[in-house]
Amino acid sequence: MKPMTKPAAAVAAAMAVLGLSAPAQAHMPYVLPTLFDVGKGDHVTVESAFAEDAFVPELAMRDAPFHLVRPDGGIVAIGAVTYLRDLSIFEADLKEDGTYRVSTGQRLGRKSEMYRDGGGKWVMRGEGGPPPANATSVAVQSATLAEAYVTKGKQTAQALKPIGKALEIQAVTHPSEMTSGSTASFILLFDGKPLAGADVTLFRSAGVHDGRKVAAQTKSDSSGRFALTPDDAGTYLILVRHRAEAPAGAETPWRSYTYTLSFDVA
């Protein structure tokens, strides 16, 4: 597929967020710290956006409940967020040593409709061709969550513990220990339970320059586990999507969940 130009991509992303019809389902949220290991630094600067290519901002993430999970597991607010057209930027104070989780928080977005194709897979209207004549559509709302881990001084593991709600990835291998050529292990969870058989895609930031955007594709096993082996040093992003019935009281009966985890490989 011919890549979109920057203006075209930005328009497509904007249409998706506003709930207009556009082939923008490939867009993903992300958070990107300036450093994943700040040493003795007292803060970290973070950018966040929606993008088609990993870490290439196209539309600022607005209305997201950005926050920081401290090394002891407590949740703290971030600094003021600056919203540009392409991306959002904020600073977060790192007062204690340890590993922090930088999170957009769960953001509810566009509402749309989806239907099951001939193979039983959920398909959003507008993703491909017209739906089958007898397809029954259901209302669905997007729910996006993007996270990354930042370590100050000695690494800790408390902030890596899963929240137990919606779609998330638990890093079994500590992000600070991920190196090129070595296998990193993860567990995919939905509402705190292992999610089996889900598609997992690993993107590499260098792919924007050399054309190898997708570093790996795999599926979670019966216990929700999956493993990835980044070949090169650099920044990576794991993307997982899952469509499921929404919680009681939600605005739509179904939700389309997207989760991304950004990390750096030495």
Side-chain angles (χ1 to χ4, degrees), residues 71-117:
D72 64 3
I75 297 176
V76 293
I78 58 167
V81 182
T82 298
Y83 296 104
L84 305 178
R85 281 176 287 184
D86 294 342
L87 53 84
S88 306
I89 303 174
F90 60 88
E91 290 184 344
D93 290 330
L94 310 178
K95 296 182 179 180
E96 308 133 5
D97 282 0
T99 300
Y100 294 75
R101 182 199 304 232
V102 181
S103 179
T104 63
Q106 194 73 238
R107 178 190 181 277
L108 296 180
R110 62 171 294 204
K111 297 174 185 176
S112 185
E113 291 186 342
M114 65 181 182
Y115 62 91
R116 287 193 188 275
D117 63 12

Side-chain angles (χ1 to χ4, degrees), residues 121-140:
K121 179 181 178 182
W122 283 112
V123 180
M124 301 292 290
R125 284 187 175 271
E127 281 187 351
N134 59 348
T136 300
S137 296
V138 295
V140 59

Side-chain angles (χ1 to χ4, degrees), residues 149-224:
Y149 294 97
V150 174
T151 295
K152 173 183 178 180
K154 185 178 179 181
Q155 69 187 49
T156 54
Q158 180 66 29
L160 275 62
K161 291 186 176 181
I163 299 171
K165 293 181 180 180
L167 185 65
E168 59 182 329
I169 291 174
Q170 179 183 3
V172 178
T173 302
H174 195 285
S176 295
E177 298 175 350
M178 295 179 186
T179 57
S180 59
S182 297
T183 299
S185 299
F186 306 87
I187 302 175
L188 181 61
L189 303 166
F190 185 71
D191 285 343
K193 299 178 181 179
L195 181 62
D199 293 321
V200 179
T201 304
L202 178 67
F203 294 91
R204 53 195 293 274
S205 60
V208 175
H209 306 289
D210 64 18
R212 295 189 295 117
K213 298 178 183 180
V214 176
Q217 291 179 297
T218 187
K219 285 183 178 288
S220 56
D221 67 14
S222 59
S223 59

Side-chain angles (χ1 to χ4, degrees), residues 28-32 47-51 53-58 61 86-87 104 146-147 237 260 262:
M28 66 189 93
Y30 74 85
V31 289
L32 179 63
E47 75 170 57
S48 181
F50 288 99
D53 290 328
F55 310 120
V56 181
E58 295 178 6
M61 181 176 289
D86 294 342
L87 53 84
T104 63
E147 298 186 316
L237 179 144
T260 67
S262 305

